[in-house]
Each structure stands twice: as C-alpha cells, then as structure tokens.
Amino acid sequence: KLLQRALRSALNQTYKDYEIIVVDDCSDVVPEVSEGVRLICHEVNKGLSAARNTGIKAAQGEYIVCLDDDNELMPEFLERSLTAIRGYDAAAVGRIIKYKDFEDYVVPNIGGVSAIDWGWLIRKDVFDTIQYDESLRANEDTDFGIQFFKKFKAARHYEPLTIAYDSADPKESL
C-alpha cells in the first residue's frame, strides 16, 4: 500500500516527460508496479544506498529524484523543481511532515551538513562524481549531503512539494 501511494504520486505529475524506476531491495513480495514503470530486483538485500545507486545508474534522464515508499511528491513537484534547479546542481523543496495527530511544514535546508535523501531533484551528472556510500547502513543521506556540498550547489524552493509520513504504524498514514 505504501509503494502504491508513492507510485501514484510519481505517476500524477503535471510535467509528463519522465521515467519511473522501482528498485526492490530483496523484499519478501515482489511489488506490483504500473505499466510503464521499470522494476529492478536485487537478489540479496544490499541496503538503501545500493538501491538508490542501482536506480540512478539505470536512469536515462538528465535529472534524478529518489522517492521512498512511505513518501509522496505533490503533482507539481517536477514542474516546479525543474524551474528552481536552473543554474544549480540540485533543488531542495519544502516538505510537509504528517504525524498521527498533526502536520508540520519543514523549510528546505541547503547547508554543508544537510542530508540529501528523497525528494531532491538532482542533475544526473552529479552521480558521476559522488554516489550513496553502500558501506553505510545509516546516515547515508547525511554523508551524501556532505559530499555534495563540497563540490555542488543547490537551489532552495520553499513551496511544500513533498510529503513525509511520520507514524509509528505506517498503515495509519494511508
């Protein structure tokens, strides 16, 4: 259910020239994906960094956005992020975090110690220089952010264009 919600948000973009790649990092059940969505399955669990790197290497486009299964992109994410990224290597956008009893807005952080996880639009050629460190099982997003900001620049777009769900029981967020 989480993956289907995330996929719907990717498929419902107002900007239509994109590809979707799902990387299954050796889950118990092979996920169902929509027609036109490319599925790549790891034969053994390699971790989040390896899953991201696999999808990035397979991508054909000029820009990459990683999307975790428990998060969503607003319909205008690609359209507005593509406008914001002009002249930069990445674009960070505002994020709504939905908790069990309330929601909060988070301003995009683009400093030297920013985590770069899901929901950032990043030029694909950035990944020719840095990748997610597959030896890390935690904090890979912070490590990637530190490496990114040593060499690259990001634009900040304040509009909330992504949704993160923060719940002890992910089923409560559906």
Side-chain angles (χ1 to χ4, degrees):
K1 289 182 179 180
L2 294 175
L3 176 61
Q4 294 307 315
R5 180 184 60 202
L7 277 175
R8 267 192 315 276
S9 79
L11 289 164
N12 289 328
Q13 293 297 298
T14 55
Y15 183 88
K16 296 296 183 190
D17 185 16
Y18 60 88
E19 67 179 327
I20 297 175
I21 299 169
V22 172
V23 179
D24 176 5
D25 194 28
C26 196
S27 63
D28 295 336
V29 177
V30 176
E32 281 187 39
V33 295
S34 304
E35 185 177 329
V37 175
R38 186 168 162 203
L39 177 63
I40 300 172
C41 296
H42 285 169
E43 292 189 18
V44 295
N45 181 277
K46 298 179 180 181
L48 179 60
S49 292
R52 285 203 173 131
N53 289 338
T54 296
I56 290 162
K57 288 175 191 165
Q60 301 294 310
E62 184 180 349
Y63 300 97
I64 304 286
V65 60
C66 297
L67 178 63
D68 296 341
D69 67 353
D70 59 344
N71 300 310
E72 288 183 74
L73 303 174
M74 300 290 217
E76 302 85 16
F77 173 83
L78 284 176
E79 184 179 345
R80 305 252 170 113
S81 294
L82 284 167
T83 300
I85 200 171
R86 289 193 180 128
Y88 292 91
D89 303 297
V93 300
R95 187 177 286 186
I96 295 171
I97 301 178
K98 292 191 176 194
Y99 298 92
K100 182 178 179 181
D101 297 323
F102 69 99
E103 62 183 52
D104 199 5
Y105 168 71
V106 178
V107 174
N109 185 10
I110 57 168
V113 292
S114 292
I116 296 182
D117 53 1
W118 68 275
W120 285 64
L121 188 68
I122 303 172
R123 291 171 41 91
K124 186 171 190 227
D125 60 7
V126 165
F127 298 100
D128 295 338
T129 304
I130 56 174
Q131 294 86 40
Y132 286 92
D133 185 340
E134 295 183 20
S135 70
L136 298 176
R137 287 298 200 170
N139 301 313
E140 69 289 325
D141 50 350
T142 302
D143 175 71
F144 185 85
I146 291 168
Q147 300 307 313
F148 176 90
F149 284 106
K150 286 180 181 178
K151 299 179 182 189
F152 301 102
K153 294 187 183 200
R156 184 184 337 216
H157 188 72
Y158 289 94
E159 186 176 8
L161 295 172
T162 61
I163 301 172
Y165 292 91
D166 188 332
S167 171
D169 180 2
K171 293 176 187 168
E172 292 175 2
S173 300
L174 291 174

